[in-house]
Amino acid sequence: MEKHQYNIFLKWDSDRKGHLSSPELPTVIEVATPPEFEKGIPNIWSPEHLFTASVVSCFMTTFLAISEYSKLDFISFECGSEGILEKIDGKYLMTKIILKPMLTITHQSKVEKAQKVLEMSERACLISNSIKCEVFLKPTSDNYNPISLVDSKAK
């Protein structure tokens, strides 16, 4: 694969706020310091949100490619994500991204394959592989199952 470029332009607006744009994209995104920091502004996308969004959106696009290649049929895919910011040795770091995929499939026989595709997607995600912090798929527990079934006969 050849090299690719992704161009972003940032213009400071006022206070702790600016706007991101790209000549390749039609949408401008307002960004600001998050409210957890001094003079932070609530209800605006922050670099921490964008960092976390970058990982989860790459996980989704990787999942879509791998599921297509693996011929895994699914009904729906959603993924929550949680970015963890910590102060370590006097520096703020995004230390962890937790991905919480929710995948709906039609048949019990595909659960193991679906789990493998989710795991492969996390390992192959180019953004996850490009960052320092750890990325985790939230393990299945009593309160959370990343794969649900829909009765294929109910249609």
Side-chain angles (χ1 to χ4, degrees), residues 8-22 27-33 41 44-45 50:
I8 302 293
F9 182 75
L10 174 65
K11 182 176 186 216
W12 171 72
D13 190 27
S14 64
D15 301 319
R16 300 275 178 112
K17 185 171 53 172
H19 289 86
L20 287 172
S21 62
S22 171
T27 306
V28 174
I29 300 172
E30 187 174 45
V31 294
T33 302
I41 304 170
I44 297 178
W45 284 85
L50 294 171

Side-chain angles (χ1 to χ4, degrees), residues 103-154:
L103 181 64
T104 303
I105 59 176
T106 59
H107 199 273
Q108 179 69 35
S109 65
K110 303 291 182 192
V111 169
E112 187 175 325
K113 182 177 188 176
Q115 186 65 41
K116 284 182 183 178
V117 169
L118 288 168
E119 291 168 4
M120 287 172 54
S121 300
E122 188 279 316
R123 286 192 307 272
C125 174
L126 74 92
I127 299 295
S128 295
N129 291 329
S130 300
I131 60 176
K132 214 162 60 163
C133 77
E134 297 182 88
V135 178
F136 299 93
L137 280 176
K138 186 173 183 177
T140 303
S141 68
D142 292 340
N143 302 345
Y144 173 77
N145 187 349
I147 301 167
S148 62
L149 299 171
V150 168
D151 184 358
S152 60
K153 297 175 187 169

Side-chain angles (χ1 to χ4, degrees), residues 4-139:
H4 297 278
Q5 288 181 224
Y6 300 90
N7 301 292
I8 302 293
F9 182 75
L10 174 65
K11 182 176 186 216
W12 171 72
D13 190 27
S14 64
D15 301 319
R16 300 275 178 112
K17 185 171 53 172
H19 289 86
L20 287 172
S21 62
S22 171
E24 295 110 18
L25 302 170
T27 306
V28 174
I29 300 172
E30 187 174 45
V31 294
T33 302
E36 296 81 16
F37 291 92
E38 184 179 335
K39 297 184 182 179
I41 304 170
N43 304 316
I44 297 178
W45 284 85
S46 70
E48 295 80 0
H49 287 106
L50 294 171
F51 185 88
T52 305
S54 181
V55 173
V56 72
S57 59
C58 184
F59 174 67
M60 179 200 70
T61 58
T62 305
F63 168 79
L64 295 173
I66 291 174
S67 63
E68 182 179 341
Y69 180 79
S70 301
K71 296 183 179 15
L72 173 67
D73 292 325
F74 61 94
I75 304 299
S76 69
F77 173 88
E78 297 177 15
C79 192
S81 59
E82 182 178 355
I84 307 297
L85 175 73
E86 296 182 83
K87 194 171 190 177
I88 298 178
D89 297 329
K91 295 180 182 180
Y92 287 104
L93 300 171
M94 294 297 288
T95 58
K96 195 180 300 180
I97 303 289
I98 302 165
L99 300 174
K100 305 169 187 176
M102 295 157 281
L103 181 64
T104 303
I105 59 176
T106 59
H107 199 273
Q108 179 69 35
S109 65
K110 303 291 182 192
V111 169
E112 187 175 325
K113 182 177 188 176
Q115 186 65 41
K116 284 182 183 178
V117 169
L118 288 168
E119 291 168 4
M120 287 172 54
S121 300
E122 188 279 316
R123 286 192 307 272
C125 174
L126 74 92
I127 299 295
S128 295
N129 291 329
S130 300
I131 60 176
K132 214 162 60 163
C133 77
E134 297 182 88
V135 178
F136 299 93
L137 280 176
K138 186 173 183 177

